[in-house]
Amino acid sequence: SRVLKALNDTYEDTIEMDLTRSVNYFDPSNHEAIKTILANIAVTYPQIGYYQGMNYLAIFLFGIFEGDIKKSYQFMAYLAERFLIRNFGDAHGGLNRLIWTTDRLLERNTPRLWEKLRKLSVGALHFATPNLITLLTSLIKNKETSPLVPSIWELMFKDGIHFVYKMVLYILDVQKAHIEQVETEELLHAMRNVDEDPFSVLRLSGVASASLSNCLAHLNKDNLRAIDYSDKVFHRLDAFYEQFVWPTQVEWDSKPK
């Protein structure tokens, strides 16, 4: 069984900074316990170390396990082995992989929306990254969306990481009719803060609060399960990135500048 190690200084400053930024989402008296979980994950799994956003994973788990530091750490270690290393580790493309895959999925499934966002210079870097790297636990920032996280995770463990991609794209898709009603600068701001307010485009477009509540109510487990984005397409894109895009990027980066 995994045993918590001593706190490691290598990641301490970065973890401290992120926990300070997210202090509104956990009891400050739990600061050191959550910090210890994150530091030990970073030491145990150098393939991922610590990246910005992992704090929300630890905060969420610490709450789910009612302050049990050992269970929180063990479950986060399981997440690292099942999802984080393979999908977010530098050895597999890291952030570039997230951005490329999300852009291709959006282009394939909703080409008009993809083209509209492209013309506005909005890409996956803006709207997908914060939610993907936290496995959507960043939704705890918003009281309206926080209750969605357990259902999302249940489906993530059933369907795999693809479900997280589907969820991110779906949140964007349900707002596509309103994107043109929002000024470009406001849209860019909304997309950069999508983890704090996933439905910010709807709010900025002046949609009635009842309509917004209906959107949130629609995101129940049955409807989430029915989101229609092809698993086969995701796996083909993932394989293509692994075989062609990532090796090309590695070769390019290794060339003398």
Side-chain angles (χ1 to χ4, degrees):
S1 61
R2 300 179 178 91
V3 179
L4 294 179
K5 303 180 180 69
L7 188 64
N8 184 279
D9 292 338
T10 306
Y11 304 99
E12 187 170 359
D13 290 343
T14 307
I15 293 170
E16 183 69 38
M17 180 174 62
D18 278 358
L19 287 178
T20 300
R21 288 172 177 168
S22 54
V23 71
N24 292 333
Y25 310 111
F26 65 92
D27 185 335
S29 66
N30 296 324
H31 180 103
E32 287 303 313
I34 296 170
K35 181 178 176 181
T36 299
I37 293 167
L38 290 167
N40 278 279
I41 290 294
V43 172
T44 306
Y45 299 101
Q47 309 96 310
I48 50 172
Y50 176 83
Y51 61 77
Q52 190 173 8
M54 288 175 72
N55 49 320
Y56 291 103
L57 288 167
I59 291 168
F60 176 69
L61 289 173
F62 197 75
I64 289 292
F65 289 112
E66 300 179 337
D68 189 316
I69 187 172
K70 188 171 183 179
K71 287 182 179 177
S72 301
Y73 167 75
Q74 289 174 333
F75 201 92
M76 194 159 179
Y78 170 70
L79 283 178
E81 292 173 7
R82 180 164 178 187
F83 295 119
L84 305 184
I85 294 171
R86 171 70 178 80
N87 293 284
F88 309 143
D90 288 341
H92 295 279
L95 185 57
N96 289 333
R97 185 192 200 102
L98 295 179
I99 295 168
W100 186 89
T101 303
T102 308
D103 264 338
R104 299 292 73 74
L105 284 169
L106 184 64
E107 182 182 11
R108 163 67 172 70
N109 288 284
T110 51
R112 290 183 180 179
L113 176 59
W114 178 83
E115 182 62 26
K116 186 185 298 184
L117 291 172
R118 190 184 67 82
K119 288 179 179 179
L120 293 171
S121 300
V122 175
L125 177 64
H126 300 107
F127 67 81
T129 305
N131 283 324
L132 287 169
I133 62 176
T134 64
L135 300 178
L136 288 161
T137 54
S138 56
L139 295 179
I140 66 172
K141 293 181 178 183
N142 189 309
K143 290 182 179 179
E144 293 175 299
T145 56
S146 183
L148 295 172
V149 179
S151 294
I152 290 169
W153 271 35
E154 182 178 334
L155 293 168
M156 176 184 74
F157 284 114
K158 179 180 179 294
D159 298 340
I161 193 69
H162 179 213
F163 182 77
V164 179
Y165 282 88
K166 287 200 294 185
M167 186 67 193
V168 169
L169 293 175
Y170 182 72
I171 289 172
L172 184 62
D173 196 23
V174 297
Q175 302 178 87
K176 64 184 177 183
H178 302 272
I179 285 176
E180 290 182 343
Q181 301 171 29
V182 178
E183 295 292 332
T184 302
E185 287 188 11
E186 288 185 323
L187 181 64
L188 285 170
H189 177 76
M191 291 298 180
R192 289 192 180 105
N193 293 281
V194 70
D195 55 325
E196 294 182 18
D197 187 1
F199 295 99
S200 52
V201 172
L202 286 177
R203 294 184 203 278
L204 289 170
S205 68
V207 164
S209 58
S211 298
L212 185 58
S213 296
N214 287 338
C215 282
L216 288 165
H218 183 72
L219 297 178
N220 57 64
K221 194 184 301 181
D222 288 338
N223 288 333
L224 292 178
R225 189 179 288 113
I227 296 174
D228 185 23
Y229 286 97
S230 170
D231 288 6
K232 291 181 180 178
V233 171
F234 172 81
H235 292 303
R236 284 200 295 267
L237 286 171
D238 197 49
F240 184 85
Y241 187 95
E242 189 77 22
Q243 294 176 34
F244 300 105
V245 180
W246 177 236
T248 302
Q249 184 65 52
V250 170
E251 183 179 355
W252 181 266
D253 290 344
S254 66
K255 290 182 178 180
K257 299 294 188 292

